[in-house]
Amino acid sequence: MERKSGVLMHISSLYGEYSSGSFGEEAKCFIDFIKECGFSYWQVLPFCMVDECNSPYKSYSAFGGNPYFIDLNTLYKKGLLTENELNLQKQETPYSCEYVKLYHNRVNLLKTAAKRVTDKKEIEDFISSHDELEKFCKFMALKEKNNEKPWYEWENDKCDDDVVFSWKFIQYEFFDQWSKIKKYANSKGIKIIGDMPIYVSHDSSDVWSNKNEFLLDKDGLCTDVAGVPPDYFAEDGQLWGNPLYNWDVMKENNYSWWKKRVLHMLEMFDGIRIDHFRAFDSYWAVDSSETTAKNGTWKIGPGIDFINEIKKIAEDKLIIAEDLGDISESVVKLVDDSGFPGMRVFQFAFFGDSNSPHLPHNYVKNCVAYSGTHDNNTLLGYLWELDDNTRKYMLDYCGYTDSNWEAGYNHIVRSIMGSCADLVILPIQDLLGYGSDTRLNIPGKADGNWRFRITKEQLNSIDKDRFLHYNKLYSRC
């Protein structure tokens, strides 16, 4: 891994006119912005469809793309949408993703566009060459036929061919538009890092079409579910509710589903971050009858045998191991043995002793250092909420001792940028210096997450010369 830096921003946070960021010209403008700042990476969050809490970490498919990211202007230029239809999709506010409007309107609009397609061959050929996408399209059509019930409650096993095609169209447009954005980024010397959620949703095409590879009972219901024990983020732990993998079965077929998943991701991105990497060593299993994650137990994961198979697939592509949370010595060993860079998060550095791996002086070269992740507060919000003594110690650590602590913000950024970490990633909110009202996600909180968006004016307000200077000063460009 080269000594570089990048920006973390979800596609949904891009500016635009239609309630969510998309794969339109705004994405290319953001790539230009990254380039002008001296950054080399754009890290995104999962491209999957979102759940009822607007999170992409519990989706109908690990392979399918989020319809909200499809650029409507591109469809208009193709003659698949009318000007009036575009106008009806205009947002009420540029500052927040309008998920209610998106939920009620966007897929229906895309289905309307699908009906206007005259030459279907290219779409059909693309989907037929991606079997998991083909399963996903059928799954979504069957969900509609069964009044949106989860698959384990379906009674009707026949779906409408036109509905299946509309989902094929949606997926084709998603991947076609994204491939053009990625190609543009790469032409500018910018690499894209994708994000792979460790688990999938129970009500997903992944589980529906691969039931024996998950821990289910004879009725298709989960026996145990995923989560994490109590930690910094949640005192009751986090009860995610995802089905757990049947690792014994997966090993028998040499992890074929996982290999398809990784190959799919590496076709889309220049590298990926694997969420909750520690579950490959050991994972928290909670009885499906529990209401919190407190009473789970640790189970042994697939370990280095699985990791070695993934390494064969990844070859020289960047794989980031998200090794945060309750980490045991065996997890540390698995990350080390994998050779994948782990993560360091500045906001975790000052809650332990001087041996904390998140303190910049303890970073290793083969790691990715963040000021914060999508699950953290913004850097400024974090500073505001610290107690006086911890804040004073932290700023002193970063070389700032004046009483006006807000002026010490840049010293923190410089401490991270100047560290030995091969790769440094800063969330877009931390480039803007924004507070906790722009936080993207609060783990364990059901409502109000995933809404933050920037405007074009806000993006243009960032001092590009300052970040270009930091990147040059610390040999990151």
Side-chain angles (χ1 to χ4, degrees), residues 113-125:
K115 292 176 182 176
R116 294 171 180 153
V117 173
T118 54
D119 185 359
K120 299 182 178 181
K121 185 179 186 306
E122 190 171 356
I123 295 171
E124 294 284 1
D125 288 348

mmCIF file with all atom_site columns, all heavy atoms in Angstrom, residues 113-125:
data_model
loop_
_atom_site.group_PDB
_atom_site.id
_atom_site.type_symbol
_atom_site.label_atom_id
_atom_site.label_alt_id
_atom_site.label_comp_id
_atom_site.label_asym_id
_atom_site.label_entity_id
_atom_site.label_seq_id
_atom_site.pdbx_PDB_ins_code
_atom_site.Cartn_x
_atom_site.Cartn_y
_atom_site.Cartn_z
_atom_site.occupancy
_atom_site.B_iso_or_equiv
_atom_site.pdbx_formal_charge
_atom_site.auth_seq_id
_atom_site.auth_comp_id
_atom_site.auth_asym_id
_atom_site.auth_atom_id
_atom_site.pdbx_PDB_model_num
ATOM 1   N N   . ALA A 1 113 ? -39.805 4.153   -16.498 1.00 0.00 ? 113 ALA A N   1
ATOM 2   C CA  . ALA A 1 113 ? -38.726 4.263   -17.487 1.00 0.00 ? 113 ALA A CA  1
ATOM 3   C C   . ALA A 1 113 ? -38.450 2.918   -18.152 1.00 0.00 ? 113 ALA A C   1
ATOM 4   O O   . ALA A 1 113 ? -38.204 2.844   -19.364 1.00 0.00 ? 113 ALA A O   1
ATOM 5   C CB  . ALA A 1 113 ? -37.461 4.791   -16.819 1.00 0.00 ? 113 ALA A CB  1
ATOM 6   N N   . ALA A 1 114 ? -38.516 1.843   -17.368 1.00 0.00 ? 114 ALA A N   1
ATOM 7   C CA  . ALA A 1 114 ? -38.245 0.503   -17.905 1.00 0.00 ? 114 ALA A CA  1
ATOM 8   C C   . ALA A 1 114 ? -39.236 0.125   -19.007 1.00 0.00 ? 114 ALA A C   1
ATOM 9   O O   . ALA A 1 114 ? -38.873 -0.552  -19.980 1.00 0.00 ? 114 ALA A O   1
ATOM 10  C CB  . ALA A 1 114 ? -38.286 -0.524  -16.780 1.00 0.00 ? 114 ALA A CB  1
ATOM 11  N N   . LYS A 1 115 ? -40.480 0.567   -18.859 1.00 0.00 ? 115 LYS A N   1
ATOM 12  C CA  . LYS A 1 115 ? -41.510 0.241   -19.857 1.00 0.00 ? 115 LYS A CA  1
ATOM 13  C C   . LYS A 1 115 ? -41.229 0.905   -21.201 1.00 0.00 ? 115 LYS A C   1
ATOM 14  O O   . LYS A 1 115 ? -41.759 0.478   -22.227 1.00 0.00 ? 115 LYS A O   1
ATOM 15  C CB  . LYS A 1 115 ? -42.875 0.677   -19.346 1.00 0.00 ? 115 LYS A CB  1
ATOM 16  C CG  . LYS A 1 115 ? -43.375 -0.129  -18.154 1.00 0.00 ? 115 LYS A CG  1
ATOM 17  C CD  . LYS A 1 115 ? -44.702 0.427   -17.625 1.00 0.00 ? 115 LYS A CD  1
ATOM 18  C CE  . LYS A 1 115 ? -45.174 -0.350  -16.399 1.00 0.00 ? 115 LYS A CE  1
ATOM 19  N NZ  . LYS A 1 115 ? -46.413 0.234   -15.830 1.00 0.00 ? 115 LYS A NZ  1
ATOM 20  N N   . ARG A 1 116 ? -40.389 1.929   -21.215 1.00 0.00 ? 116 ARG A N   1
ATOM 21  C CA  . ARG A 1 116 ? -40.091 2.661   -22.453 1.00 0.00 ? 116 ARG A CA  1
ATOM 22  C C   . ARG A 1 116 ? -38.851 2.127   -23.173 1.00 0.00 ? 116 ARG A C   1
ATOM 23  O O   . ARG A 1 116 ? -38.478 2.644   -24.218 1.00 0.00 ? 116 ARG A O   1
ATOM 24  C CB  . ARG A 1 116 ? -39.920 4.147   -22.122 1.00 0.00 ? 116 ARG A CB  1
ATOM 25  C CG  . ARG A 1 116 ? -41.219 4.787   -21.623 1.00 0.00 ? 116 ARG A CG  1
ATOM 26  C CD  . ARG A 1 116 ? -41.003 6.191   -21.092 1.00 0.00 ? 116 ARG A CD  1
ATOM 27  N NE  . ARG A 1 116 ? -42.266 6.741   -20.625 1.00 0.00 ? 116 ARG A NE  1
ATOM 28  C CZ  . ARG A 1 116 ? -42.395 7.671   -19.686 1.00 0.00 ? 116 ARG A CZ  1
ATOM 29  N NH1 . ARG A 1 116 ? -41.307 8.164   -19.110 1.00 0.00 ? 116 ARG A NH1 1
ATOM 30  N NH2 . ARG A 1 116 ? -43.582 8.109   -19.324 1.00 0.00 ? 116 ARG A NH2 1
ATOM 31  N N   . VAL A 1 117 ? -38.205 1.135   -22.577 1.00 0.00 ? 117 VAL A N   1
ATOM 32  C CA  . VAL A 1 117 ? -37.033 0.539   -23.218 1.00 0.00 ? 117 VAL A CA  1
ATOM 33  C C   . VAL A 1 117 ? -37.478 -0.266  -24.436 1.00 0.00 ? 117 VAL A C   1
ATOM 34  O O   . VAL A 1 117 ? -38.382 -1.099  -24.349 1.00 0.00 ? 117 VAL A O   1
ATOM 35  C CB  . VAL A 1 117 ? -36.277 -0.375  -22.225 1.00 0.00 ? 117 VAL A CB  1
ATOM 36  C CG1 . VAL A 1 117 ? -35.153 -1.129  -22.933 1.00 0.00 ? 117 VAL A CG1 1
ATOM 37  C CG2 . VAL A 1 117 ? -35.727 0.451   -21.060 1.00 0.00 ? 117 VAL A CG2 1
ATOM 38  N N   . THR A 1 118 ? -36.859 -0.009  -25.576 1.00 0.00 ? 118 THR A N   1
ATOM 39  C CA  . THR A 1 118 ? -37.224 -0.718  -26.811 1.00 0.00 ? 118 THR A CA  1
ATOM 40  C C   . THR A 1 118 ? -36.281 -1.879  -27.119 1.00 0.00 ? 118 THR A C   1
ATOM 41  O O   . THR A 1 118 ? -36.712 -2.928  -27.600 1.00 0.00 ? 118 THR A O   1
ATOM 42  C CB  . THR A 1 118 ? -37.249 0.254   -28.000 1.00 0.00 ? 118 THR A CB  1
ATOM 43  O OG1 . THR A 1 118 ? -35.988 0.932   -28.082 1.00 0.00 ? 118 THR A OG1 1
ATOM 44  C CG2 . THR A 1 118 ? -38.370 1.268   -27.831 1.00 0.00 ? 118 THR A CG2 1
ATOM 45  N N   . ASP A 1 119 ? -35.008 -1.709  -26.851 1.00 0.00 ? 119 ASP A N   1
ATOM 46  C CA  . ASP A 1 119 ? -34.036 -2.774  -27.096 1.00 0.00 ? 119 ASP A CA  1
ATOM 47  C C   . ASP A 1 119 ? -33.585 -3.334  -25.749 1.00 0.00 ? 119 ASP A C   1
ATOM 48  O O   . ASP A 1 119 ? -32.825 -2.707  -25.022 1.00 0.00 ? 119 ASP A O   1
ATOM 49  C CB  . ASP A 1 119 ? -32.836 -2.231  -27.872 1.00 0.00 ? 119 ASP A CB  1
ATOM 50  C CG  . ASP A 1 119 ? -31.850 -3.319  -28.258 1.00 0.00 ? 119 ASP A CG  1
ATOM 51  O OD1 . ASP A 1 119 ? -32.084 -4.491  -27.902 1.00 0.00 ? 119 ASP A OD1 1
ATOM 52  O OD2 . ASP A 1 119 ? -30.832 -3.003  -28.907 1.00 0.00 ? 119 ASP A OD2 1
ATOM 53  N N   . LYS A 1 120 ? -34.063 -4.535  -25.425 1.00 0.00 ? 120 LYS A N   1
ATOM 54  C CA  . LYS A 1 120 ? -33.821 -5.113  -24.111 1.00 0.00 ? 120 LYS A CA  1
ATOM 55  C C   . LYS A 1 120 ? -32.609 -6.049  -24.076 1.00 0.00 ? 120 LYS A C   1
ATOM 56  O O   . LYS A 1 120 ? -32.223 -6.517  -23.014 1.00 0.00 ? 120 LYS A O   1
ATOM 57  C CB  . LYS A 1 120 ? -35.061 -5.883  -23.645 1.00 0.00 ? 120 LYS A CB  1
ATOM 58  C CG  . LYS A 1 120 ? -36.308 -5.022  -23.502 1.00 0.00 ? 120 LYS A CG  1
ATOM 59  C CD  . LYS A 1 120 ? -37.486 -5.836  -22.994 1.00 0.00 ? 120 LYS A CD  1
ATOM 60  C CE  . LYS A 1 120 ? -38.721 -4.950  -22.811 1.00 0.00 ? 120 LYS A CE  1
ATOM 61  N NZ  . LYS A 1 120 ? -39.874 -5.732  -22.288 1.00 0.00 ? 120 LYS A NZ  1
ATOM 62  N N   . LYS A 1 121 ? -32.010 -6.316  -25.218 1.00 0.00 ? 121 LYS A N   1
ATOM 63  C CA  . LYS A 1 121 ? -30.980 -7.355  -25.300 1.00 0.00 ? 121 LYS A CA  1
ATOM 64  C C   . LYS A 1 121 ? -29.777 -7.067  -24.401 1.00 0.00 ? 121 LYS A C   1
ATOM 65  O O   . LYS A 1 121 ? -29.302 -7.952  -23.671 1.00 0.00 ? 121 LYS A O   1
ATOM 66  C CB  . LYS A 1 121 ? -30.515 -7.539  -26.743 1.00 0.00 ? 121 LYS A CB  1
ATOM 67  C CG  . LYS A 1 121 ? -29.526 -8.709  -26.908 1.00 0.00 ? 121 LYS A CG  1
ATOM 68  C CD  . LYS A 1 121 ? -29.104 -8.893  -28.354 1.00 0.00 ? 121 LYS A CD  1
ATOM 69  C CE  . LYS A 1 121 ? -28.236 -10.140 -28.512 1.00 0.00 ? 121 LYS A CE  1
ATOM 70  N NZ  . LYS A 1 121 ? -27.081 -10.179 -27.611 1.00 0.00 ? 121 LYS A NZ  1
ATOM 71  N N   . GLU A 1 122 ? -29.272 -5.842  -24.453 1.00 0.00 ? 122 GLU A N   1
ATOM 72  C CA  . GLU A 1 122 ? -28.084 -5.507  -23.660 1.00 0.00 ? 122 GLU A CA  1
ATOM 73  C C   . GLU A 1 122 ? -28.358 -5.673  -22.174 1.00 0.00 ? 122 GLU A C   1
ATOM 74  O O   . GLU A 1 122 ? -27.510 -6.146  -21.411 1.00 0.00 ? 122 GLU A O   1
ATOM 75  C CB  . GLU A 1 122 ? -27.628 -4.083  -23.967 1.00 0.00 ? 122 GLU A CB  1
ATOM 76  C CG  . GLU A 1 122 ? -26.276 -3.740  -23.365 1.00 0.00 ? 122 GLU A CG  1
ATOM 77  C CD  . GLU A 1 122 ? -25.728 -2.402  -23.840 1.00 0.00 ? 122 GLU A CD  1
ATOM 78  O OE1 . GLU A 1 122 ? -26.368 -1.756  -24.700 1.00 0.00 ? 122 GLU A OE1 1
ATOM 79  O OE2 . GLU A 1 122 ? -24.650 -2.014  -23.358 1.00 0.00 ? 122 GLU A OE2 1
ATOM 80  N N   . ILE A 1 123 ? -29.559 -5.288  -21.758 1.00 0.00 ? 123 ILE A N   1
ATOM 81  C CA  . ILE A 1 123 ? -29.949 -5.420  -20.354 1.00 0.00 ? 123 ILE A CA  1
ATOM 82  C C   . ILE A 1 123 ? -30.032 -6.890  -19.963 1.00 0.00 ? 123 ILE A C   1
ATOM 83  O O   . ILE A 1 123 ? -29.476 -7.317  -18.949 1.00 0.00 ? 123 ILE A O   1
ATOM 84  C CB  . ILE A 1 123 ? -31.288 -4.706  -20.098 1.00 0.00 ? 123 ILE A CB  1
ATOM 85  C CG1 . ILE A 1 123 ? -31.128 -3.192  -20.318 1.00 0.00 ? 123 ILE A CG1 1
ATOM 86  C CG2 . ILE A 1 123 ? -31.801 -4.997  -18.682 1.00 0.00 ? 123 ILE A CG2 1
ATOM 87  C CD1 . ILE A 1 123 ? -32.423 -2.424  -20.307 1.00 0.00 ? 123 ILE A CD1 1
ATOM 88  N N   . GLU A 1 124 ? -30.715 -7.678  -20.779 1.00 0.00 ? 124 GLU A N   1
ATOM 89  C CA  . GLU A 1 124 ? -30.873 -9.102  -20.502 1.00 0.00 ? 124 GLU A CA  1
ATOM 90  C C   . GLU A 1 124 ? -29.517 -9.808  -20.474 1.00 0.00 ? 124 GLU A C   1
ATOM 91  O O   . GLU A 1 124 ? -29.262 -10.657 -19.613 1.00 0.00 ? 124 GLU A O   1
ATOM 92  C CB  . GLU A 1 124 ? -31.783 -9.756  -21.536 1.00 0.00 ? 124 GLU A CB  1
ATOM 93  C CG  . GLU A 1 124 ? -33.234 -9.287  -21.508 1.00 0.00 ? 124 GLU A CG  1
ATOM 94  C CD  . GLU A 1 124 ? -34.029 -9.875  -20.346 1.00 0.00 ? 124 GLU A CD  1
ATOM 95  O OE1 . GLU A 1 124 ? -33.445 -10.635 -19.545 1.00 0.00 ? 124 GLU A OE1 1
ATOM 96  O OE2 . GLU A 1 124 ? -35.225 -9.565  -20.232 1.00 0.00 ? 124 GLU A OE2 1
ATOM 97  N N   . ASP A 1 125 ? -28.645 -9.452  -21.407 1.00 0.00 ? 125 ASP A N   1
ATOM 98  C CA  . ASP A 1 125 ? -27.319 -10.079 -21.462 1.00 0.00 ? 125 ASP A CA  1
ATOM 99  C C   . ASP A 1 125 ? -26.505 -9.763  -20.212 1.00 0.00 ? 125 ASP A C   1
ATOM 100 O O   . ASP A 1 125 ? -25.813 -10.639 -19.667 1.00 0.00 ? 125 ASP A O   1
ATOM 101 C CB  . ASP A 1 125 ? -26.555 -9.622  -22.710 1.00 0.00 ? 125 ASP A CB  1
ATOM 102 C CG  . ASP A 1 125 ? -27.107 -10.222 -23.989 1.00 0.00 ? 125 ASP A CG  1
ATOM 103 O OD1 . ASP A 1 125 ? -27.923 -11.165 -23.902 1.00 0.00 ? 125 ASP A OD1 1
ATOM 104 O OD2 . ASP A 1 125 ? -26.727 -9.736  -25.072 1.00 0.00 ? 125 ASP A OD2 1
#
